[in-house]
Amino acid sequence: MRIQEAENLLEALLEIDNEGPFKRDPDGDYVLSYSGAQFYARIIGEGRPVVQIFSVVAADVPPIPDLLSYINKLNAELSFVKVFSVSNQVLIESEFLASQLSHGVFHNACRHVAEASDATGQSIHEIFDGTPRWQSGKKPTYKFGFSPD
């Protein structure tokens, strides 16, 4: 599968599953919304494309040693996602091969990112300050992650 084919398939899913029309940010990432919680998706790798679903749980957080140690601890405890620091942001990401892209696989990845973001986002902000990104914008009707239906 080529990247363009994967993007077409992802866009078809987003037409159905995203709240409102999907858009792409300046980095080219797809911006996804579920009850105000914001996700992003991107497809990387020409030879064997990979779909990455991620959230930004905190921004404006420099990668100091204590943060990196905390992230390492989270990575040892969490399943199906990875937590990392990049460009003064803490991201939580799940990924899968684009050739596996389906409604169910997409929703599972979003659910794993939502679960980890809900479980860790507030504590990262409380301990390391920064700007909370995952929590902001959630609607009162927010229910954990995407429904697997």
Side-chain angles (χ1 to χ4, degrees), residues 129-145:
D129 293 323
T131 305
R133 294 270 304 273
W134 172 253
Q135 300 292 349
S136 63
K138 281 187 184 176
K139 297 175 185 174
T141 56
Y142 174 81
K143 293 181 192 160
F144 154 78

Side-chain angles (χ1 to χ4, degrees), residues 2-76:
R2 295 188 334 230
I3 286 182
Q4 187 58 53
E5 293 172 293
E7 285 179 347
N8 292 342
L9 185 53
L10 178 60
E11 289 177 5
L13 277 171
L14 295 179
E15 290 283 340
I16 298 166
D17 292 332
N18 199 42
E19 291 180 347
F22 67 86
K23 60 184 177 190
R24 293 180 91 163
D25 69 9
D27 294 328
D29 299 327
Y30 294 91
V31 181
L32 318 177
S33 179
Y34 181 80
S35 291
Q38 198 166 59
F39 293 83
Y40 300 88
R42 72 169 58 119
I43 301 173
I44 62 165
E46 185 59 48
R48 211 171 144 197
V50 172
V51 178
Q52 297 176 328
I53 308 292
F54 63 98
S55 70
V56 178
V57 292
D60 308 314
V61 182
I64 60 172
D66 286 348
L67 173 66
L68 299 177
S69 178
Y70 188 78
I71 287 172
N72 191 47
K73 178 181 172 283
L74 290 175
N75 281 320

Side-chain angles (χ1 to χ4, degrees), residues 55-104:
S55 70
V56 178
V57 292
D60 308 314
V61 182
I64 60 172
D66 286 348
L67 173 66
L68 299 177
S69 178
Y70 188 78
I71 287 172
N72 191 47
K73 178 181 172 283
L74 290 175
N75 281 320
E77 296 171 354
L78 295 170
S79 300
F80 309 112
V81 296
K82 60 185 172 186
V83 184
F84 57 96
S85 172
V86 63
S87 301
N88 290 331
Q89 300 178 101
V90 177
L91 277 59
I92 297 181
E93 178 182 280
S94 183
E95 62 185 17
F96 54 89
L97 290 172
S99 60
Q100 298 173 330
L101 182 57
S102 69
H103 181 80

